[in-house]
Amino acid sequence: MFVYAPDGKLNSEIKLQTGFFFAPQRIAVFPSGGLFVSGLEPDKDSPDTSWPFQGIFSSDGTLLKEVNFADDEDIYDLAASGDKRVVLPNNPNSNLAVAGESLEAAADGNIYLMRRISPAILYAVAPGGSVRGFTVDPGDEDFLPSHMHISGNRITILFRKELTGQQILKVVDLKGHVQVTYEDRGVNGVSELGPAFACYNANTETFTFLTTLEDGKLGIKTAQPQ
């Protein structure tokens, strides 16, 4: 891991020390400076399949505690069986439920992890390792959770139907209770916002997306409810 200063200069490097191999996917930082990392750990008895891995690390990279989630075994079984919801056709070793996770810290001191599976499965992880889980249902299992961003005591999840490009944004509280749902109606069936959901501001109810401009440069789109 590389730690950068606000001006972009490299401050330090951290080596995650587990004592075993795993492929890290996402990372978030607790207010105390501790780290929460999720990823995949190859099954020792079946190396073509991997277990979800979640761990709490100290700020120097020492593994303090592995954290188990209620759906770890189910996610493993889906990948092991080749379920198309989590396995790519050209990569039987993939596990999209974990590889496509979202992970962010919230103002309540917990870190929230969201699996890429529908309904969306979320876990709130406390610095000590206690876990609270809940689900957010888009109302149609073809809508997969694409990105999650947290602002204040609100979580916004972008659900996307890959075959059609349809998108909805669900805003929930930190216990998963739906506050409001927004639909990206687009123009002629094409999303105006695109899939690159980058930021959410609960104070102004503003959603920020990245896009590519006509000249090929990076652009920013902001959206607010009407």
Side-chain angles (χ1 to χ4, degrees), residues 1-212:
M1 287 177 46
F2 299 97
V3 182
Y4 292 90
D7 62 2
K9 292 182 180 178
L10 179 64
N11 263 351
S12 61
E13 298 178 13
I14 300 172
K15 182 178 180 179
L16 298 179
Q17 304 163 50
T18 58
F20 54 85
F21 175 82
F22 84 105
Q25 302 287 336
R26 298 288 184 270
I27 183 170
V29 182
F30 289 107
S32 62
L35 311 172
F36 183 81
V37 181
S38 69
L40 288 165
E41 180 186 352
D43 187 338
K44 297 179 179 62
D45 299 320
S46 179
D48 291 337
T49 310
S50 296
W51 285 95
F53 169 85
Q54 298 87 216
I56 295 175
F57 295 77
S58 66
S59 58
D60 67 0
T62 302
L63 177 61
L64 301 177
K65 183 175 184 178
E66 288 191 53
V67 180
N68 297 316
F69 290 163
D71 73 336
D72 282 348
E73 190 168 334
D74 293 335
I75 294 296
Y76 173 90
D77 289 341
L78 286 174
S81 67
D83 193 297
K84 63 181 181 180
R85 289 175 292 176
V86 301
V87 176
L88 291 169
N90 59 348
N91 184 3
N93 298 332
S94 57
N95 190 328
L96 299 180
V98 177
E101 287 175 343
S102 293
L103 192 61
E104 284 196 10
D108 63 359
N110 296 327
I111 286 175
Y112 288 76
L113 178 146
M114 180 183 74
R115 302 280 204 209
R116 185 183 179 274
I117 196 165
S118 187
I121 301 172
L122 289 89
Y123 294 99
V125 183
S130 61
V131 177
R132 170 174 55 85
F134 56 90
T135 62
V136 178
D137 192 344
D140 181 341
E141 65 179 11
D142 288 336
F143 279 92
L144 283 171
S146 175
H147 295 284
M148 170 193 75
H149 290 296
I150 300 175
S151 177
N153 62 351
R154 293 290 183 266
I155 302 172
T156 294
I157 302 171
L158 174 68
F159 287 93
R160 180 176 173 83
K161 187 180 288 189
E162 296 297 337
L163 290 178
T164 64
Q166 292 174 271
Q167 298 187 152
I168 57 174
L169 289 160
K170 279 193 175 290
V171 181
V172 304
D173 65 17
L174 297 180
K175 294 184 178 179
H177 302 128
V178 176
Q179 307 300 299
V180 65
T181 300
Y182 301 114
E183 182 181 356
D184 176 13
R185 295 180 179 177
V187 178
N188 297 323
V190 179
S191 167
E192 282 191 277
L193 299 174
F197 179 32
C199 186
Y200 167 55
N201 186 324
N203 292 327
T204 58
E205 198 67 358
T206 301
F207 308 88
T208 303
F209 290 74
L210 300 180
T211 188
T212 302

